[in-house]
Amino acid sequence: MTLKVACPTCKKEVIWQEESQYRPFCSKRCQLIDIGDWADENHKISQPVQGAVDLNEEMLDALEAEFLQHNKFFVEPE
Ligand SMILES: [Zn+2]
């Protein structure tokens, strides 16, 4: 009996056997494409969170400095 699976990347038939070392993928290329997709998704998920944290800290510092400057600016003319 021969078990066949569909390659998750290109849907090509892959025979489930010792020789098919990249199963369930048909080839190393398809395996790397799938791993690459996962890495991309992880990158997309983690990147905005890290960026937002850095931005918030920087923005708060910038806003605080700007606020203090404006306060002095508004106080001085009076
Ligand atoms: Zn494939």
Side-chain angles (χ1 to χ4, degrees):
M1 193 186 105
T2 310
L3 181 66
K4 287 178 186 171
V5 295
C7 169
T9 303
C10 70
K11 310 302 177 197
K12 194 175 141 183
E13 267 191 1
V14 183
I15 298 167
W16 197 275
Q17 61 184 358
E18 280 302 310
E19 287 75 38
S20 307
Q21 58 174 314
Y22 301 113
R23 64 187 187 273
F25 302 94
C26 69
S27 62
K28 188 176 186 177
R29 189 181 137 271
C30 283
Q31 187 186 41
L32 287 174
I33 287 170
D34 192 72
I35 292 167
D37 281 352
W38 275 104
D40 274 357
E41 271 181 52
N42 287 338
H43 193 67
K44 279 173 201 159
I45 291 164
S46 65
Q47 196 67 3
V49 173
Q50 280 185 342
V53 169
D54 287 343
L55 254 181
N56 278 344
E57 282 177 27
E58 273 180 29
M59 278 170 71
L60 279 173
D61 284 349
L63 283 172
E64 202 181 321
E66 205 175 48
F67 181 73
L68 289 172
Q69 272 183 355
H70 279 276
N71 257 8
K72 280 177 193 168
F73 190 76
F74 280 122
V75 167
E76 273 172 28
E78 283 180 39

